[in-house]
Amino acid sequence: MVTTAVVTGASSGIGRASVAALAASGWQVLGAARRADRLAELAAETGCATAVCDVTSAGDVEALAQQAADLFGGTLDAIVNIAGGAFGVDPVEKADLEGWRRMYDLNVLGTTRVTQALLPLVRANGSGSVVLLTSTAAQAAYTGGAGYNAAKAGEHMVAQALRLELLGEPIRVIEIAPGMVHTEEFSLVRLGGDKAAADAVYEGVSHPLSAGDVADVVAYSLNLPAHVNLDLVTIRPVAQASNYHVARGAGL
């Protein structure tokens, strides 16, 4: 039986790796992201279908849902919400509220918009899963992180509420919350393109999580028997015990 998924944030990082991991385990995947050139590369590598989509655009998401319906015959096994991001590390008293608004729109409203649009296809399928990629930033605050903390905590609450609202239906709600993940863009974007500052985030950590590590958990959670729900999976490298406690220079 063919299983189908829509993965957002598919042009880079964890989203791209999740498309690859699901495709490798036999899923038919529609990868969605803003950058058409990156999506073309991903399609060539994995055989996935692609959709240019900004999850903050209602029109784009509506078109994504129609494309998914046409591609998969009006049904869908999994919604995989990977699109997200952080902008800036400003303290509360100097907060760039426009940056905070962008984070909320992308992480909370974007995830909700995609889930609303695609959930009817999962219902039509008879069963399925909704995955939300949050962060350990949703679990504990840290200096300079309030805007991202708040956005990811909001997304965490969307997952929690959705699971309650879907109780009694055969639809899993899976939340995956990574800690320190070294991808090519996350910290670089967050720190305004400052490569030295981005590299310093991982300084002294030999083995931070990779996008592939997290993608493997995404694929594992979706490939479990349908009655098994991973409500919340927190993933950190061994070198990281909390948002604040990182063993740097320990060879880990």
Side-chain angles (χ1 to χ4, degrees), residues 93-108:
E93 67 175 334
K94 297 180 180 179
D96 173 5
L97 297 184
E98 183 54 37
W100 285 34
R101 186 175 291 110
R102 287 173 64 204
M103 285 188 279
Y104 190 83
D105 196 13
L106 180 57
N107 293 284
V108 182

Side-chain angles (χ1 to χ4, degrees), residues 115 119 130 132 157-167 173:
T115 301
L119 192 57
V130 182
L132 296 88
M157 285 301 172
V158 169
Q160 295 284 297
L162 182 62
R163 190 178 298 112
L164 295 172
E165 291 160 3
L166 294 178
L167 181 63
V173 178

